[in-house]
Short mmCIF file of all heavy atoms in Angstrom, two decimals:
data_model
loop_
_atom_site.label_atom_id
_atom_site.label_comp_id
_atom_site.label_asym_id
_atom_site.label_seq_id
_atom_site.Cartn_x
_atom_site.Cartn_y
_atom_site.Cartn_z
N MET S 1 22.11 -25.00 5.00
CA MET S 1 21.17 -25.08 6.21
C MET S 1 20.28 -26.28 6.16
O MET S 1 19.68 -26.47 5.03
CB MET S 1 20.39 -23.76 6.29
CG MET S 1 19.54 -23.72 7.46
SD MET S 1 18.58 -22.17 7.56
CE MET S 1 19.72 -20.94 7.69
N ARG S 2 20.21 -27.04 7.14
CA ARG S 2 19.32 -28.16 7.28
C ARG S 2 18.40 -28.00 8.48
O ARG S 2 18.71 -27.34 9.46
CB ARG S 2 20.06 -29.48 7.41
CG ARG S 2 20.74 -29.85 6.18
CD ARG S 2 21.15 -31.43 6.40
NE ARG S 2 22.60 -31.45 6.18
CZ ARG S 2 23.26 -32.55 6.42
NH1 ARG S 2 22.63 -33.59 6.89
NH2 ARG S 2 24.48 -32.72 6.07
N TYR S 3 17.36 -28.61 8.36
CA TYR S 3 16.42 -28.65 9.50
C TYR S 3 16.03 -30.02 9.79
O TYR S 3 16.09 -30.88 8.90
CB TYR S 3 15.24 -27.78 9.27
CG TYR S 3 14.26 -28.32 8.22
CD1 TYR S 3 13.20 -29.07 8.65
CD2 TYR S 3 14.41 -27.99 6.90
CE1 TYR S 3 12.36 -29.69 7.68
CE2 TYR S 3 13.52 -28.52 5.97
CZ TYR S 3 12.41 -29.36 6.35
OH TYR S 3 11.61 -29.87 5.44
N ALA S 4 15.66 -30.28 11.02
CA ALA S 4 15.26 -31.63 11.46
C ALA S 4 14.06 -31.56 12.39
O ALA S 4 14.01 -30.56 13.13
CB ALA S 4 16.42 -32.36 12.18
N ILE S 5 13.20 -32.50 12.34
CA ILE S 5 12.05 -32.47 13.23
C ILE S 5 12.31 -33.49 14.33
O ILE S 5 12.31 -34.68 14.01
CB ILE S 5 10.72 -32.81 12.43
CG1 ILE S 5 10.47 -31.78 11.37
CG2 ILE S 5 9.58 -32.87 13.39
CD1 ILE S 5 9.36 -32.17 10.51
N PRO S 6 12.60 -33.05 15.47
CA PRO S 6 13.07 -34.10 16.53
C PRO S 6 11.89 -34.90 17.02
O PRO S 6 12.14 -35.99 17.43
CB PRO S 6 13.63 -33.16 17.66
CG PRO S 6 12.88 -31.73 17.47
CD PRO S 6 12.76 -31.65 16.00
N TYR S 7 10.67 -34.28 17.07
CA TYR S 7 9.53 -35.08 17.44
C TYR S 7 8.32 -34.72 16.69
O TYR S 7 7.91 -33.60 16.73
CB TYR S 7 9.27 -34.79 18.97
CG TYR S 7 8.14 -35.49 19.57
CD1 TYR S 7 8.14 -36.90 19.71
CD2 TYR S 7 6.94 -34.88 19.84
CE1 TYR S 7 7.05 -37.61 20.21
CE2 TYR S 7 5.81 -35.55 20.35
CZ TYR S 7 5.98 -36.88 20.55
OH TYR S 7 4.81 -37.61 21.01
N ASP S 8 7.81 -35.77 15.91
CA ASP S 8 6.68 -35.49 15.08
C ASP S 8 5.46 -35.99 15.81
O ASP S 8 5.20 -37.09 16.00
CB ASP S 8 6.86 -36.31 13.76
CG ASP S 8 5.76 -35.96 12.89
OD1 ASP S 8 5.08 -35.01 12.98
OD2 ASP S 8 5.55 -36.76 11.82
N SER S 9 4.62 -35.02 16.16
CA SER S 9 3.38 -35.33 17.05
C SER S 9 2.21 -35.60 16.12
O SER S 9 1.11 -35.91 16.65
CB SER S 9 3.10 -34.20 18.04
OG SER S 9 2.80 -33.09 17.43
N SER S 10 2.26 -35.40 14.82
CA SER S 10 1.18 -35.61 13.95
C SER S 10 0.57 -36.98 13.95
O SER S 10 -0.54 -37.21 13.88
CB SER S 10 1.47 -35.13 12.59
OG SER S 10 2.44 -36.00 11.96
N ARG S 11 1.54 -37.98 14.02
CA ARG S 11 1.04 -39.40 14.01
C ARG S 11 0.26 -39.62 15.38
O ARG S 11 -0.75 -40.26 15.30
CB ARG S 11 2.17 -40.32 13.87
CG ARG S 11 2.79 -40.29 12.62
CD ARG S 11 3.94 -41.40 12.43
NE ARG S 11 4.93 -41.16 13.42
CZ ARG S 11 5.98 -42.03 13.58
NH1 ARG S 11 6.11 -43.01 12.75
NH2 ARG S 11 6.79 -41.81 14.57
N PHE S 12 0.75 -39.13 16.48
CA PHE S 12 -0.03 -39.29 17.71
C PHE S 12 -1.40 -38.68 17.70
O PHE S 12 -2.43 -39.23 18.09
CB PHE S 12 0.78 -38.70 18.88
CG PHE S 12 0.13 -38.65 20.19
CD1 PHE S 12 -0.08 -39.85 20.83
CD2 PHE S 12 -0.34 -37.52 20.69
CE1 PHE S 12 -0.71 -39.87 22.10
CE2 PHE S 12 -1.05 -37.49 21.92
CZ PHE S 12 -1.24 -38.74 22.59
N VAL S 13 -1.43 -37.43 17.02
CA VAL S 13 -2.74 -36.67 17.03
C VAL S 13 -3.73 -37.46 16.05
O VAL S 13 -4.94 -37.61 16.47
CB VAL S 13 -2.48 -35.34 16.44
CG1 VAL S 13 -3.86 -34.65 16.18
CG2 VAL S 13 -1.74 -34.51 17.46
N LYS S 14 -3.25 -37.98 14.93
CA LYS S 14 -4.08 -38.80 14.08
C LYS S 14 -4.59 -40.06 14.79
O LYS S 14 -5.74 -40.32 14.61
CB LYS S 14 -3.30 -39.16 12.75
CG LYS S 14 -3.09 -38.09 11.80
CD LYS S 14 -2.31 -38.49 10.67
CE LYS S 14 -2.00 -37.31 9.76
NZ LYS S 14 -1.21 -37.63 8.60
N ILE S 15 -3.76 -40.70 15.43
CA ILE S 15 -4.17 -41.96 16.17
C ILE S 15 -5.24 -41.47 17.24
O ILE S 15 -6.23 -42.20 17.46
CB ILE S 15 -3.02 -42.66 16.79
CG1 ILE S 15 -2.15 -43.27 15.59
CG2 ILE S 15 -3.47 -43.74 17.76
CD1 ILE S 15 -0.85 -43.83 16.07
N SER S 16 -4.96 -40.46 17.95
CA SER S 16 -5.90 -39.96 19.05
C SER S 16 -7.26 -39.68 18.45
O SER S 16 -8.34 -40.06 19.10
CB SER S 16 -5.34 -38.80 19.73
OG SER S 16 -4.18 -39.07 20.36
N ILE S 17 -7.31 -38.99 17.34
CA ILE S 17 -8.57 -38.64 16.76
C ILE S 17 -9.35 -39.85 16.25
O ILE S 17 -10.56 -39.96 16.48
CB ILE S 17 -8.33 -37.57 15.57
CG1 ILE S 17 -7.84 -36.24 16.06
CG2 ILE S 17 -9.59 -37.46 14.70
CD1 ILE S 17 -7.49 -35.28 15.07
N SER S 18 -8.55 -40.84 15.64
CA SER S 18 -9.30 -42.05 15.18
C SER S 18 -9.84 -42.77 16.53
O SER S 18 -10.98 -43.40 16.35
CB SER S 18 -8.42 -42.86 14.44
OG SER S 18 -7.31 -43.29 15.21
N GLN S 19 -9.06 -42.77 17.58
CA GLN S 19 -9.60 -43.45 18.72
C GLN S 19 -10.80 -42.72 19.37
O GLN S 19 -11.75 -43.44 19.79
CB GLN S 19 -8.52 -43.59 19.79
CG GLN S 19 -7.42 -44.49 19.41
CD GLN S 19 -7.93 -45.92 19.39
OE1 GLN S 19 -8.70 -46.41 20.28
NE2 GLN S 19 -7.50 -46.58 18.41
N VAL S 20 -10.88 -41.49 19.26
CA VAL S 20 -12.04 -40.67 19.73
C VAL S 20 -13.25 -41.08 18.86
O VAL S 20 -14.39 -41.16 19.43
CB VAL S 20 -11.80 -39.21 19.78
CG1 VAL S 20 -13.10 -38.38 19.96
CG2 VAL S 20 -10.73 -38.83 20.90
N VAL S 21 -13.12 -41.08 17.56
CA VAL S 21 -14.22 -41.39 16.69
C VAL S 21 -14.68 -42.79 16.92
O VAL S 21 -15.92 -42.99 16.99
CB VAL S 21 -13.80 -41.22 15.14
CG1 VAL S 21 -14.88 -41.78 14.34
CG2 VAL S 21 -13.55 -39.79 14.91
N GLU S 22 -13.75 -43.69 17.13
CA GLU S 22 -14.17 -45.10 17.43
C GLU S 22 -14.88 -45.32 18.76
O GLU S 22 -15.95 -46.01 18.81
CB GLU S 22 -12.86 -46.01 17.44
CG GLU S 22 -13.17 -47.51 17.76
CD GLU S 22 -11.87 -48.23 17.79
OE1 GLU S 22 -10.88 -47.92 17.17
OE2 GLU S 22 -11.88 -49.36 18.48
N THR S 23 -14.47 -44.52 19.75
CA THR S 23 -15.19 -44.62 21.04
C THR S 23 -16.54 -43.90 20.98
O THR S 23 -17.55 -44.42 21.57
CB THR S 23 -14.35 -43.74 22.10
OG1 THR S 23 -13.01 -44.38 22.24
CG2 THR S 23 -14.98 -43.88 23.49
N LEU S 24 -16.67 -42.88 20.12
CA LEU S 24 -17.97 -42.23 20.01
C LEU S 24 -19.05 -43.19 19.33
O LEU S 24 -20.12 -43.25 19.75
CB LEU S 24 -17.86 -41.04 19.16
CG LEU S 24 -19.17 -40.19 18.91
CD1 LEU S 24 -19.86 -39.74 20.12
CD2 LEU S 24 -18.88 -38.99 17.95
N LEU S 25 -18.54 -43.92 18.31
CA LEU S 25 -19.40 -44.88 17.61
C LEU S 25 -19.85 -46.07 18.56
O LEU S 25 -20.92 -46.47 18.56
CB LEU S 25 -18.72 -45.41 16.39
CG LEU S 25 -18.44 -44.39 15.23
CD1 LEU S 25 -17.75 -45.05 14.02
CD2 LEU S 25 -19.83 -43.85 14.80
N GLU S 26 -18.78 -46.46 19.43
CA GLU S 26 -19.20 -47.41 20.40
C GLU S 26 -20.17 -46.97 21.35
O GLU S 26 -21.13 -47.75 21.86
CB GLU S 26 -17.86 -47.96 21.14
CG GLU S 26 -16.94 -48.81 20.21
CD GLU S 26 -15.64 -49.05 20.88
OE1 GLU S 26 -15.40 -48.59 22.02
OE2 GLU S 26 -14.79 -49.73 20.24
N ALA S 27 -20.00 -45.71 21.75
CA ALA S 27 -20.96 -45.16 22.77
C ALA S 27 -22.38 -45.06 22.20
O ALA S 27 -23.28 -45.34 22.87
CB ALA S 27 -20.46 -43.74 23.22
N VAL S 28 -22.44 -44.61 20.97
CA VAL S 28 -23.77 -44.59 20.37
C VAL S 28 -24.45 -45.98 20.19
O VAL S 28 -25.58 -46.20 20.44
CB VAL S 28 -23.70 -44.00 18.95
CG1 VAL S 28 -24.92 -43.99 18.11
CG2 VAL S 28 -23.33 -42.50 19.06
N ALA S 29 -23.61 -46.91 19.90
CA ALA S 29 -24.10 -48.32 19.75
C ALA S 29 -24.56 -48.84 21.20
O ALA S 29 -25.64 -49.48 21.28
CB ALA S 29 -23.10 -49.28 19.17
N LEU S 30 -23.87 -48.52 22.11
CA LEU S 30 -24.16 -49.00 23.52
C LEU S 30 -25.42 -48.34 24.02
O LEU S 30 -26.19 -48.89 24.61
CB LEU S 30 -22.96 -48.69 24.45
CG LEU S 30 -23.08 -49.23 25.85
CD1 LEU S 30 -23.26 -50.79 25.87
CD2 LEU S 30 -21.97 -48.85 26.68
N VAL S 31 -25.56 -46.96 23.71
CA VAL S 31 -26.79 -46.27 24.10
C VAL S 31 -28.01 -46.93 23.41
O VAL S 31 -28.98 -47.16 24.04
CB VAL S 31 -26.73 -44.80 23.83
CG1 VAL S 31 -27.99 -44.05 23.89
CG2 VAL S 31 -25.70 -44.10 24.73
N PHE S 32 -27.86 -47.20 22.24
CA PHE S 32 -28.90 -47.80 21.39
C PHE S 32 -29.34 -49.17 22.05
O PHE S 32 -30.51 -49.42 22.21
CB PHE S 32 -28.59 -47.97 19.90
CG PHE S 32 -29.73 -48.49 19.11
CD1 PHE S 32 -30.69 -47.64 18.69
CD2 PHE S 32 -29.76 -49.82 18.76
CE1 PHE S 32 -31.74 -48.26 17.95
CE2 PHE S 32 -30.78 -50.35 17.99
CZ PHE S 32 -31.79 -49.60 17.64
N ALA S 33 -28.29 -49.95 22.24
CA ALA S 33 -28.62 -51.35 22.83
C ALA S 33 -29.26 -51.33 24.25
O ALA S 33 -30.21 -51.95 24.45
CB ALA S 33 -27.23 -52.14 22.98
N VAL S 34 -28.74 -50.41 25.05
CA VAL S 34 -29.37 -50.36 26.39
C VAL S 34 -30.77 -49.74 26.38
O VAL S 34 -31.62 -50.21 27.12
CB VAL S 34 -28.37 -49.46 27.37
CG1 VAL S 34 -29.11 -49.14 28.64
CG2 VAL S 34 -27.05 -50.23 27.58
N MET S 35 -30.98 -48.69 25.61
CA MET S 35 -32.26 -48.14 25.50
C MET S 35 -33.29 -49.08 24.92
O MET S 35 -34.33 -49.24 25.38
CB MET S 35 -32.19 -46.76 24.68
CG MET S 35 -31.36 -45.68 25.39
SD MET S 35 -31.99 -45.35 27.00
CE MET S 35 -33.51 -44.49 26.73
N TYR S 36 -32.87 -49.84 23.93
CA TYR S 36 -33.70 -50.89 23.35
C TYR S 36 -34.12 -51.97 24.36
O TYR S 36 -35.12 -52.46 24.42
CB TYR S 36 -33.18 -51.40 22.06
CG TYR S 36 -34.04 -52.39 21.30
CD1 TYR S 36 -35.11 -51.86 20.68
CD2 TYR S 36 -33.89 -53.75 21.44
CE1 TYR S 36 -36.01 -52.76 20.03
CE2 TYR S 36 -34.71 -54.61 20.75
CZ TYR S 36 -35.83 -54.08 20.04
OH TYR S 36 -36.74 -55.03 19.50
N LEU S 37 -33.03 -52.28 25.13
CA LEU S 37 -33.23 -53.36 26.12
C LEU S 37 -34.32 -52.94 27.10
O LEU S 37 -35.11 -53.71 27.52
CB LEU S 37 -31.96 -53.73 26.85
CG LEU S 37 -31.96 -54.79 27.96
CD1 LEU S 37 -32.24 -56.18 27.36
CD2 LEU S 37 -30.66 -54.72 28.68
N PHE S 38 -34.21 -51.70 27.56
CA PHE S 38 -35.22 -51.23 28.62
C PHE S 38 -36.48 -50.81 28.04
O PHE S 38 -37.53 -51.03 28.70
CB PHE S 38 -34.63 -50.14 29.37
CG PHE S 38 -33.54 -50.56 30.33
CD1 PHE S 38 -32.24 -50.21 30.18
CD2 PHE S 38 -33.92 -51.23 31.53
CE1 PHE S 38 -31.28 -50.62 31.10
CE2 PHE S 38 -32.95 -51.71 32.47
CZ PHE S 38 -31.61 -51.36 32.17
N LEU S 39 -36.54 -50.15 26.85
CA LEU S 39 -37.78 -49.72 26.36
C LEU S 39 -38.55 -50.68 25.45
O LEU S 39 -39.76 -50.54 25.24
CB LEU S 39 -37.49 -48.41 25.54
CG LEU S 39 -37.01 -47.22 26.39
CD1 LEU S 39 -36.69 -46.00 25.45
CD2 LEU S 39 -37.98 -46.84 27.40
N GLN S 40 -37.87 -51.56 24.91
CA GLN S 40 -38.46 -52.67 24.06
C GLN S 40 -39.21 -52.14 22.86
O GLN S 40 -40.16 -52.75 22.29
CB GLN S 40 -39.42 -53.51 24.88
CG GLN S 40 -38.80 -54.27 26.08
CD GLN S 40 -37.81 -55.38 25.56
OE1 GLN S 40 -38.17 -56.01 24.71
NE2 GLN S 40 -36.63 -55.36 26.26
N ASN S 41 -38.75 -50.97 22.38
CA ASN S 41 -39.44 -50.44 21.24
C ASN S 41 -38.31 -49.59 20.43
O ASN S 41 -37.72 -48.68 21.00
CB ASN S 41 -40.51 -49.47 21.58
CG ASN S 41 -41.41 -49.12 20.41
OD1 ASN S 41 -40.81 -49.18 19.13
ND2 ASN S 41 -42.57 -48.58 20.61
N TRP S 42 -38.07 -49.90 19.20
CA TRP S 42 -37.02 -49.22 18.49
C TRP S 42 -37.35 -47.76 18.20
O TRP S 42 -36.37 -46.94 18.09
CB TRP S 42 -36.64 -49.97 17.18
CG TRP S 42 -37.76 -49.83 16.13
CD1 TRP S 42 -38.89 -50.66 15.99
CD2 TRP S 42 -37.83 -48.85 15.13
NE1 TRP S 42 -39.62 -50.22 14.93
CE2 TRP S 42 -38.96 -49.16 14.37
CE3 TRP S 42 -37.08 -47.77 14.70
CZ2 TRP S 42 -39.43 -48.33 13.31
CZ3 TRP S 42 -37.37 -46.97 13.62
CH2 TRP S 42 -38.62 -47.28 12.99
N ARG S 43 -38.51 -47.38 18.00
CA ARG S 43 -38.94 -45.98 17.86
C ARG S 43 -38.51 -45.09 19.01
O ARG S 43 -38.11 -43.99 18.86
CB ARG S 43 -40.42 -45.80 17.58
CG ARG S 43 -40.74 -46.36 16.31
CD ARG S 43 -42.37 -46.19 16.11
NE ARG S 43 -42.73 -46.69 14.81
CZ ARG S 43 -43.92 -46.54 14.33
NH1 ARG S 43 -44.80 -45.91 15.03
NH2 ARG S 43 -44.27 -47.13 13.16
N TYR S 44 -38.70 -45.63 20.19
CA TYR S 44 -38.42 -44.84 21.41
C TYR S 44 -36.87 -44.88 21.67
O TYR S 44 -36.33 -43.99 22.45
CB TYR S 44 -39.05 -45.43 22.66
CG TYR S 44 -40.53 -45.38 22.60
CD1 TYR S 44 -41.33 -46.40 22.98
CD2 TYR S 44 -41.20 -44.26 22.03
CE1 TYR S 44 -42.72 -46.36 22.86
CE2 TYR S 44 -42.59 -44.22 21.90
CZ TYR S 44 -43.33 -45.22 22.37
OH TYR S 44 -44.73 -45.22 22.37
N THR S 45 -36.07 -45.74 21.09
CA THR S 45 -34.67 -45.71 21.22
C THR S 45 -33.92 -44.79 20.30
O THR S 45 -32.79 -44.44 20.47
CB THR S 45 -34.10 -47.13 21.03
OG1 THR S 45 -34.47 -47.61 19.79
CG2 THR S 45 -34.73 -48.05 22.10
N VAL S 46 -34.55 -44.41 19.23
CA VAL S 46 -33.91 -43.59 18.22
C VAL S 46 -33.58 -42.18 18.80
O VAL S 46 -32.50 -41.64 18.56
CB VAL S 46 -34.82 -43.49 16.95
CG1 VAL S 46 -34.21 -42.45 15.97
CG2 VAL S 46 -34.90 -44.85 16.29
N ILE S 47 -34.52 -41.71 19.55
CA ILE S 47 -34.35 -40.28 20.08
C ILE S 47 -33.10 -40.15 21.02
O ILE S 47 -32.25 -39.44 20.81
CB ILE S 47 -35.65 -39.81 20.74
CG1 ILE S 47 -36.71 -39.63 19.71
CG2 ILE S 47 -35.40 -38.46 21.46
CD1 ILE S 47 -38.04 -39.25 20.28
N PRO S 48 -33.09 -41.03 22.05
CA PRO S 48 -31.76 -41.03 22.92
C PRO S 48 -30.56 -41.27 22.18
O PRO S 48 -29.47 -40.80 22.37
CB PRO S 48 -32.08 -42.02 23.99
CG PRO S 48 -33.51 -42.23 23.92
CD PRO S 48 -33.97 -41.99 22.61
N THR S 49 -30.58 -42.19 21.12
CA THR S 49 -29.45 -42.44 20.31
C THR S 49 -29.03 -41.26 19.53
O THR S 49 -27.80 -41.02 19.37
CB THR S 49 -29.76 -43.68 19.32
OG1 THR S 49 -30.21 -44.77 20.06
CG2 THR S 49 -28.53 -44.02 18.50
N LEU S 50 -29.94 -40.48 18.95
CA LEU S 50 -29.58 -39.29 18.18
C LEU S 50 -29.16 -38.14 19.20
O LEU S 50 -28.41 -37.21 18.74
CB LEU S 50 -30.70 -38.85 17.31
CG LEU S 50 -31.11 -39.81 16.33
CD1 LEU S 50 -32.33 -39.35 15.44
CD2 LEU S 50 -29.95 -40.01 15.26
N VAL S 51 -29.50 -38.15 20.35
CA VAL S 51 -29.19 -37.08 21.27
C VAL S 51 -27.70 -37.03 21.61
O VAL S 51 -27.06 -35.88 21.73
CB VAL S 51 -30.04 -37.11 22.66
CG1 VAL S 51 -29.51 -36.30 23.63
CG2 VAL S 51 -31.43 -36.79 22.19
N VAL S 52 -27.01 -38.18 21.62
CA VAL S 52 -25.58 -38.24 22.06
C VAL S 52 -24.76 -37.37 21.08
O VAL S 52 -24.06 -36.47 21.43
CB VAL S 52 -25.06 -39.66 22.10
CG1 VAL S 52 -23.61 -39.77 22.31
CG2 VAL S 52 -25.85 -40.33 23.18
N PRO S 53 -24.75 -37.62 19.68
CA PRO S 53 -23.92 -36.77 18.85
C PRO S 53 -24.36 -35.37 18.69
O PRO S 53 -23.56 -34.41 18.61
CB PRO S 53 -23.96 -37.52 17.48
CG PRO S 53 -24.95 -38.57 17.64
CD PRO S 53 -25.33 -38.70 18.99
N ILE S 54 -25.65 -35.10 18.83
CA ILE S 54 -26.13 -33.66 18.72
C ILE S 54 -25.71 -32.97 19.96
O ILE S 54 -25.32 -31.70 19.84
CB ILE S 54 -27.66 -33.77 18.66
CG1 ILE S 54 -28.13 -34.26 17.29
CG2 ILE S 54 -28.32 -32.30 18.82
CD1 ILE S 54 -29.59 -34.56 17.12
N THR S 55 -25.73 -33.56 21.12
CA THR S 55 -25.22 -32.92 22.41
C THR S 55 -23.70 -32.56 22.28
O THR S 55 -23.29 -31.48 22.75
CB THR S 55 -25.49 -33.79 23.53
OG1 THR S 55 -26.91 -34.06 23.66
CG2 THR S 55 -25.07 -33.14 24.83
N LEU S 56 -22.92 -33.49 21.76
CA LEU S 56 -21.54 -33.17 21.54
C LEU S 56 -21.27 -32.08 20.57
O LEU S 56 -20.38 -31.23 20.83
CB LEU S 56 -20.82 -34.45 21.17
CG LEU S 56 -20.63 -35.64 22.19
CD1 LEU S 56 -20.11 -36.81 21.60
CD2 LEU S 56 -19.85 -35.09 23.33
N LEU S 57 -22.03 -32.09 19.46
CA LEU S 57 -21.90 -31.01 18.56
C LEU S 57 -22.24 -29.60 19.07
O LEU S 57 -21.59 -28.69 18.89
CB LEU S 57 -22.71 -31.27 17.32
CG LEU S 57 -22.18 -32.33 16.32
CD1 LEU S 57 -23.18 -32.58 15.19
CD2 LEU S 57 -20.87 -31.93 15.78
N GLY S 58 -23.30 -29.60 19.93
CA GLY S 58 -23.76 -28.36 20.63
C GLY S 58 -22.69 -28.00 21.58
O GLY S 58 -22.38 -26.72 21.71
N THR S 59 -22.07 -28.80 22.28
CA THR S 59 -21.09 -28.44 23.31
C THR S 59 -19.84 -27.92 22.53
O THR S 59 -19.34 -26.85 22.97
CB THR S 59 -20.62 -29.73 24.08
OG1 THR S 59 -21.65 -30.25 24.75
CG2 THR S 59 -19.43 -29.40 25.08
N PHE S 60 -19.44 -28.53 21.50
CA PHE S 60 -18.30 -27.97 20.66
C PHE S 60 -18.54 -26.68 20.07
O PHE S 60 -17.73 -25.71 19.98
CB PHE S 60 -17.73 -29.02 19.71
CG PHE S 60 -17.13 -30.17 20.22
CD1 PHE S 60 -17.35 -31.43 19.74
CD2 PHE S 60 -16.26 -30.10 21.36
CE1 PHE S 60 -16.80 -32.53 20.29
CE2 PHE S 60 -15.69 -31.21 21.89
CZ PHE S 60 -15.95 -32.45 21.42
N GLY S 61 -19.83 -26.47 19.66
CA GLY S 61 -20.28 -25.18 19.09
C GLY S 61 -20.24 -24.00 20.18
O GLY S 61 -19.77 -22.94 19.86
N VAL S 62 -20.65 -24.29 21.37
CA VAL S 62 -20.63 -23.28 22.43
C VAL S 62 -19.12 -23.01 22.82
O VAL S 62 -18.85 -21.94 23.00
CB VAL S 62 -21.38 -23.84 23.63
CG1 VAL S 62 -21.18 -22.95 24.84
CG2 VAL S 62 -22.88 -23.84 23.38
N LEU S 63 -18.33 -23.99 22.86
CA LEU S 63 -16.88 -23.72 23.07
C LEU S 63 -16.25 -22.96 22.04
O LEU S 63 -15.44 -22.04 22.33
CB LEU S 63 -16.11 -25.09 23.33
CG LEU S 63 -16.51 -25.94 24.55
CD1 LEU S 63 -15.78 -27.22 24.52
CD2 LEU S 63 -16.07 -25.09 25.77
N LEU S 64 -16.68 -23.11 20.84
CA LEU S 64 -16.07 -22.38 19.71
C LEU S 64 -16.63 -20.92 19.74
O LEU S 64 -15.83 -19.96 19.52
CB LEU S 64 -16.42 -23.03 18.37
CG LEU S 64 -15.91 -22.35 17.11
CD1 LEU S 64 -14.46 -22.38 17.03
CD2 LEU S 64 -16.51 -22.98 15.93
N ALA S 65 -17.84 -20.73 20.06
CA ALA S 65 -18.43 -19.46 20.14
C ALA S 65 -17.91 -18.68 21.32
O ALA S 65 -17.75 -17.39 21.23
CB ALA S 65 -20.07 -19.54 20.36
N LEU S 66 -17.51 -19.23 22.39
CA LEU S 66 -16.84 -18.61 23.51
C LEU S 66 -15.42 -18.40 23.35
O LEU S 66 -14.73 -17.93 24.22
CB LEU S 66 -17.21 -19.32 24.79
CG LEU S 66 -18.69 -19.32 25.21
CD1 LEU S 66 -18.86 -20.23 26.46
CD2 LEU S 66 -19.20 -17.99 25.40
N ALA S 67 -14.88 -18.82 22.16
CA ALA S 67 -13.44 -18.73 21.93
C ALA S 67 -12.55 -19.47 22.88
O ALA S 67 -11.51 -18.99 23.31
CB ALA S 67 -13.01 -17.26 21.81
N PHE S 68 -13.03 -20.65 23.35
CA PHE S 68 -12.30 -21.46 24.36
C PHE S 68 -11.16 -22.10 23.47
O PHE S 68 -11.32 -22.74 22.51
CB PHE S 68 -13.13 -22.54 24.85
CG PHE S 68 -12.41 -23.38 25.87
CD1 PHE S 68 -12.18 -22.90 27.25
CD2 PHE S 68 -11.95 -24.60 25.51
CE1 PHE S 68 -11.53 -23.74 28.07
CE2 PHE S 68 -11.30 -25.42 26.40
CZ PHE S 68 -11.12 -25.02 27.71
N ARG S 69 -9.85 -21.95 23.96
CA ARG S 69 -8.76 -22.51 23.22
C ARG S 69 -7.94 -23.36 24.25
O ARG S 69 -7.80 -22.94 25.43
CB ARG S 69 -7.87 -21.44 22.68
CG ARG S 69 -8.51 -20.58 21.76
CD ARG S 69 -8.61 -21.17 20.37
NE ARG S 69 -9.23 -20.24 19.39
CZ ARG S 69 -10.13 -20.61 18.56
NH1 ARG S 69 -10.44 -21.89 18.43
NH2 ARG S 69 -10.64 -19.78 17.78
N SER S 70 -7.45 -24.46 23.83
CA SER S 70 -6.58 -25.25 24.57
C SER S 70 -5.25 -24.59 24.73
O SER S 70 -4.75 -23.96 23.71
CB SER S 70 -6.46 -26.69 24.03
OG SER S 70 -5.60 -27.42 24.73
N THR S 71 -4.45 -24.84 25.84
CA THR S 71 -3.26 -24.24 26.04
C THR S 71 -2.14 -25.20 25.62
O THR S 71 -1.00 -24.92 25.81
CB THR S 71 -3.01 -23.87 27.52
OG1 THR S 71 -3.18 -25.03 28.38
CG2 THR S 71 -3.97 -22.77 27.94
N CYS S 72 -2.48 -26.29 25.15
CA CYS S 72 -1.43 -27.31 24.79
C CYS S 72 -0.78 -27.01 23.53
O CYS S 72 -1.32 -26.57 22.51
CB CYS S 72 -2.08 -28.74 24.65
SG CYS S 72 -2.59 -29.28 26.30
#
């Protein structure tokens, strides 16, 4: 008995996850740059910069608590 994997989606998933992480880091850098440009003070830019990842973690936590599952 032999088995074969006709389509290995693990490589696609790994690439997708790395692209999401890269995009998140770019978004944080962009938020920092824009907020610093408008506020002209690095202390006031730290709070909005930290809010982006904290908001995403909170969203994922709520989705996990509500047992939201993807159908894919």
